[in-house]
Amino acid sequence: MMRHRTRLKLALALLAAPLLPFASGAARAQTCAPVAQVQPGQLVTPGKLQLAINPTLPPQQFVDSRGELQGINIELGQEIAKRLCLELQFIRMDFPSMIPALQAGRFDGIHTAMFWTEERSRVAFMVPYALQAISVGVPANSGLQVNSPDDLSGKAVVIEVNTYQERWLRSISEDLAKRGRPPVTIRGFTTATEAMTALRAGQGDAAALLDYMAVDMTKRGMIRTVLHRLGGAPSAMAFRQRPVAEAVAAALESMRKDGSYGALFERYGLTPQPADQPFAIRGPGPG
């Protein structure tokens, strides 16, 4: 009789054991309360937020020596997914193919420091989340004092051609000329790397860079940043489904309210979305 009871207890224990992981997972699911609900059918893969990224722009997004994704956009995406109770999956790809792939339904969104434009806002639901602002840097050993853009009058400034920073610098130069002051001598190069090489070689007095580039180069001792957070054009995430974009905007708002959004941008030295601008879809979205 005793042996029969022992066998019965063992059988019951073995039957109960496989249920433990499931119960634990269910308990975890119950403890996650999303700031906004995303329905399974609104995602390419239910339960997963899949975002395309081109990790070639430190410190916004890059691959470290171990092959792992790092940067502010990585951390921001992770926190958004956490607040929506979704598993995050980044899909690495080159930028030119991202929008066609999004339209084809290969993933849920694009999160790669993409500029907001009117044209793009008609093919995807875009949520601006930061500003791509301008910094001005001088060689680390330079004694040049630059306290405002006016101090660039008559100076040679290197830039990457066909960029937001070139357009900004040309507007500064034109304004100086209208006021009777010497314009800026603008020296353009194909890439930011070439522009920085020219600066170090003495071919310019200063460089106009996007904020995140200036932060990275200042940390490496390549330049001394003298002006920052000038101008500003919105960076945005893009999504194929309106409800997903709205949920991401709600997650960003919750981060702003508890201070984690501002702390993240402060840690990386990048320009956040202005406090008076709510996180929301900007533009009409796909017709």
Side-chain angles (χ1 to χ4, degrees):
M1 187 67 175
M2 184 64 71
R3 182 178 298 174
H4 175 73
R5 289 178 180 174
T6 300
R7 289 176 178 174
L8 179 61
K9 289 180 180 179
L10 178 60
L12 291 172
L14 290 173
L15 286 171
L19 299 178
L20 291 177
F22 175 80
S24 176
R28 284 196 299 270
Q30 291 173 359
T31 61
C32 185
V35 299
Q37 194 70 47
V38 178
Q39 300 300 326
Q42 295 164 348
L43 298 167
V44 172
T45 302
K48 286 187 178 182
L49 180 62
Q50 298 177 316
L51 302 177
I53 193 166
N54 181 20
T56 59
L57 300 170
Q60 290 210 91
Q61 59 220 27
F62 61 99
V63 179
D64 65 15
S65 58
R66 298 173 296 176
E68 297 179 358
L69 291 171
Q70 302 290 345
I72 186 172
N73 283 340
I74 307 305
E75 294 188 41
L76 190 63
Q78 290 169 341
E79 186 61 28
I80 288 170
K82 176 182 175 182
R83 291 178 187 236
L84 297 179
C85 301
L86 297 172
E87 178 186 343
L88 177 65
Q89 181 181 0
F90 277 117
I91 298 171
R92 306 182 194 183
M93 63 190 308
D94 293 334
F95 179 73
S97 57
M98 284 186 183
I99 291 180
L102 179 70
Q103 293 174 311
R106 287 182 53 191
F107 40 77
D108 302 300
I110 297 171
H111 185 29
T112 192
M114 179 170 61
F115 280 113
W116 183 94
T117 67
E118 193 74 40
E119 180 182 1
R120 288 171 181 166
S121 76
R122 292 192 179 96
V123 298
F125 296 102
M126 301 194 72
V127 179
Y129 68 95
L131 288 182
Q132 293 278 30
I134 301 294
S135 286
V136 174
V138 298
N141 59 355
S142 172
L144 180 64
Q145 296 299 313
V146 180
N147 298 310
S148 77
D150 281 3
D151 293 331
L152 297 176
S153 174
K155 302 296 188 296
V157 181
V158 300
I159 49 89
E160 180 182 0
V161 296
N162 300 319
T163 58
Y164 171 67
Q165 52 269 35
E166 180 184 12
R167 294 192 295 274
W168 173 84
L169 188 60
R170 290 196 182 282
S171 69
I172 294 296
S173 183
E174 291 168 3
D175 179 65
L176 287 167
K178 289 178 182 177
R179 289 187 279 139
R181 300 191 57 182
V184 180
T185 299
I186 300 173
R187 294 180 177 162
F189 297 86
T190 304
T191 66
T193 300
E194 291 176 0
M196 293 308 302
T197 299
L199 182 68
R200 292 196 300 273
Q203 297 179 35
D205 301 302
L209 304 162
L210 291 175
D211 270 358
Y212 69 83
M213 294 181 182
V215 169
D216 182 59
M217 292 177 181
T218 298
K219 285 181 178 179
R220 291 192 281 162
M222 297 172 63
I223 63 170
R224 176 170 57 87
T225 298
V226 290
L227 298 175
H228 68 288
R229 294 187 177 176
L230 304 171
S235 286
M237 304 178 201
F239 300 92
R240 56 187 290 271
Q241 294 278 0
R242 178 181 288 275
V244 177
E246 291 173 340
V248 168
L252 287 165
E253 282 290 355
S254 73
M255 291 182 65
R256 175 183 273 167
K257 288 179 181 178
D258 66 23
S260 58
Y261 171 83
L264 180 63
F265 275 76
E266 184 66 27
R267 177 156 56 86
Y268 277 93
L270 303 184
T271 308
Q273 179 105 325
D276 62 349
Q277 295 182 15
F279 295 107
I281 295 171
R282 179 176 172 184

